[in-house]
Amino acid sequence: MSKKNPAQRQRVAILGSTGSIGVNTLEVMALHPERYEVFALTASTQVEKLLAQCVQFKPAFAVMASALHARELAQKCHDYGLFTHVLSGSDAIEDIASHESVDTVMAAIVGAAGLASCLAAARSGKRLLLANKEALVVGGDYFLQTVHAGGAKLLPIDSEHSAVFQSLPDDTAVWPTQIDKIILTASGGPFRRRDPATFASITPEQACAHPNWVMGRKISVDSATMMNKALEVIEAHYLFGVAPQHIEVVIHPQSVIHSMVQYRDHSVIAQLGTPDMKVPIAYGLSWPDRMTSGASALNFKTMGDLSFESLQDHGHAQRFPGLALAWSVLNAAPGTTAVLNAANEMAVEAFLARRIRFDQIHIVNLESLAAFSPAPPQSLEDLLELDAQSRACARAVLDRLSI
């Protein structure tokens, strides 16, 4: 367990500090220097951006993915007279996530690459702010067992899951007896009204131009295909213990209602806010309290109408075929959710590199699922092997489809 900070400031490690979640986390923390201390920052390749964060927040540690980038950062930190200790590699990121001086870990590394560090934080009993949905999608029950065994506090940072968490009773024991269903909202992304017959011509630039949210390229593409919502359905199942058939998705273009919980008496509790990730980040950092987030407040006088669309209407089933895979993999053998995640990561990477068309992302996911039947994972090693095998399967599909 973490050593308590005598000054009562939470020492925070931000894994993936140069991405949109990491940047927003630092902005929220900067509003409350009396409450939070930046203990460690990690990044993949953005040396200059991480350097600027080190200059501003002066963390004890900074970690780069490669030794080459770490040496460059270390030299620049030295030139600035910083005392930040620079490390490199995945083992160092895990060490930071489980460091005895860390109270809170913001897990914002994109994709399955963030699984091992999330598990390290969970085993060490941290307050784990989970912005990496893939940790649950890939780790599933094993991840939750690790959280429970380590005594960690798992708090969701995805806006949808934070909204559900805020709409649920504090007593988790009553959830199964009171919840009728969880309703996740989706904006519909940039192609909500686009003719599916034109999807083959969609470019990476168009797919990354989200109408409401500012996000990284991978999650922006996932939003455009609505695979992000498929992953969120899987995450909601594990986070809240709700059966797949009791999770529903509706399209809500304004992104004001972030998600809802319908109870057995058919009352519905929803969480509303501006589409700004600072809100769920501030809630995760301060829970069970609330504090200023830096996000703009909703203005109900100027907001306009709030609208909703069923996925069965307006041709959405043809636009977003990948969403239905969420329920398919949750009803399949344990580990199948990891296969879907790995295939999708490979497919999105190939699309961004212009190796496949936008409409072929779903083909990669579908064919990878059909070609590979996993054995139930029992350990981190099993999960990593499952991820590797799934990627090899997806790679074979990509080799056949590549433009």
Side-chain angles (χ1 to χ4, degrees):
M1 297 292 287
S2 306
K3 289 182 178 179
K4 292 302 178 184
N5 188 343
Q8 299 303 307
R9 291 202 302 168
Q10 286 186 44
R11 292 193 179 106
V12 181
I14 304 175
L15 313 183
S17 67
T18 58
S20 61
I21 296 293
V23 169
N24 277 299
T25 301
L26 288 170
E27 289 182 9
V28 172
M29 291 175 64
L31 296 174
H32 304 277
E34 76 288 353
R35 296 186 63 162
Y36 304 102
E37 173 187 341
V38 178
F39 182 78
L41 302 172
T42 84
S44 179
T45 60
Q46 297 191 67
V47 174
E48 292 298 332
K49 196 167 183 178
L50 185 54
L51 173 65
Q53 293 175 344
C54 290
V55 170
Q56 180 177 356
F57 294 97
K58 299 177 175 55
F61 292 93
V63 186
M64 298 295 302
S66 75
L68 178 64
H69 289 111
R71 285 194 293 271
E72 182 181 353
L73 178 65
Q75 181 60 55
K76 290 177 182 293
C77 285
H78 179 268
D79 293 344
Y80 273 89
L82 300 177
F83 294 99
T84 299
H85 188 45
V86 180
L87 307 171
S88 67
S90 56
D91 288 348
I93 296 174
E94 291 179 51
D95 289 342
I96 289 299
S98 59
H99 196 286
E100 63 177 1
S101 295
V102 169
D103 304 299
T104 299
V105 174
M106 171 58 79
I109 295 175
V110 176
L115 175 61
S117 54
C118 284
L119 286 167
R123 280 192 295 268
S124 302
K126 307 302 184 188
R127 174 186 288 236
L128 178 54
L129 309 185
L130 190 66
N132 174 296
K133 63 174 63 69
E134 292 86 357
L136 266 174
V137 172
V138 176
D141 288 326
Y142 175 76
F143 181 78
L144 291 178
Q145 290 163 9
T146 305
V147 169
H148 179 73
K153 180 59 186 178
L154 183 64
L155 295 168
I157 298 302
D158 270 353
S159 61
E160 296 81 1
H161 301 93
S162 176
V164 171
F165 183 66
Q166 294 179 59
S167 301
L168 287 168
D170 292 336
D171 184 0
T172 60
V174 306
W175 290 359
T177 63
Q178 294 191 8
I179 298 173
D180 182 38
K181 62 181 175 181
I182 286 174
I183 305 168
L184 302 177
T185 57
S187 70
F191 308 131
R192 181 174 63 91
R193 285 289 184 260
R194 182 158 174 157
D195 183 353
T198 69
F199 274 26
S201 64
I202 289 172
T203 66
E205 291 75 22
Q206 291 170 330
C208 291
H210 196 282
N212 298 340
W213 297 91
V214 177
M215 304 180 293
R217 283 164 62 81
K218 194 268 182 184
I219 193 172
S220 293
V221 175
D222 281 348
S223 180
T225 63
M226 279 191 66
M227 270 304 301
N228 71 319
K229 211 54 55 177
L231 299 178
E232 287 169 13
V233 168
I234 297 167
E235 187 180 6
H237 162 69
Y238 286 114
L239 274 173
F240 307 116
V242 175
Q245 64 269 26
H246 293 294
I247 304 173
E248 182 180 325
V249 175
V250 297
I251 291 182
H252 169 51
Q254 295 82 15
S255 296
V256 170
I257 297 176
H258 297 302
S259 279
M260 300 169 271
V261 176
Q262 180 172 298
Y263 286 84
R264 293 290 173 87
D265 61 1
H266 288 175
S267 63
V268 177
I269 296 179
Q271 186 265 341
L272 286 69
T274 53
D276 190 327
M277 285 305 300
K278 294 185 186 71
V279 175
I281 289 168
Y283 186 69
L285 284 167
S286 63
W287 180 89
D289 301 324
R290 290 185 184 267
M291 65 183 187
T292 303
S293 67
S296 300
L298 285 177
N299 187 337
F300 288 92
K301 296 178 182 178
T302 61
M303 183 185 301
D305 294 335
L306 301 181
S307 61
F308 303 89
E309 299 170 7
S310 167
L311 288 161
Q312 282 67 52
D313 297 335
H314 307 291
H316 292 323
Q318 289 72 44
R319 279 187 195 88
F320 309 119
L323 179 57
L325 295 178
W327 290 271
S328 297
V329 296
L330 283 173
N331 288 306
T336 308
T337 56
V339 179
L340 175 61
N341 180 75
N344 185 64
E345 286 190 17
M346 295 286 289
V348 171
E349 181 182 355
F351 166 68
L352 289 171
R354 304 179 197 275
R355 289 181 54 210
I356 63 171
R357 302 190 311 265
F358 181 82
D359 61 320
Q360 292 177 315
I361 294 173
H362 179 60
I363 296 173
V364 174
N365 294 337
L366 204 59
E367 293 192 10
S368 298
L369 286 169
F372 184 58
S373 298
Q378 303 293 329
S379 65
L380 174 59
E381 290 71 24
D382 288 349
L383 289 169
L384 295 176
E385 178 62 23
L386 173 56
D387 182 70
Q389 291 176 355
S390 302
R391 289 172 189 275
C393 187
R395 193 173 295 111
V397 179
L398 286 166
D399 288 343
R400 180 173 59 79
L401 292 177
S402 290
I403 298 169

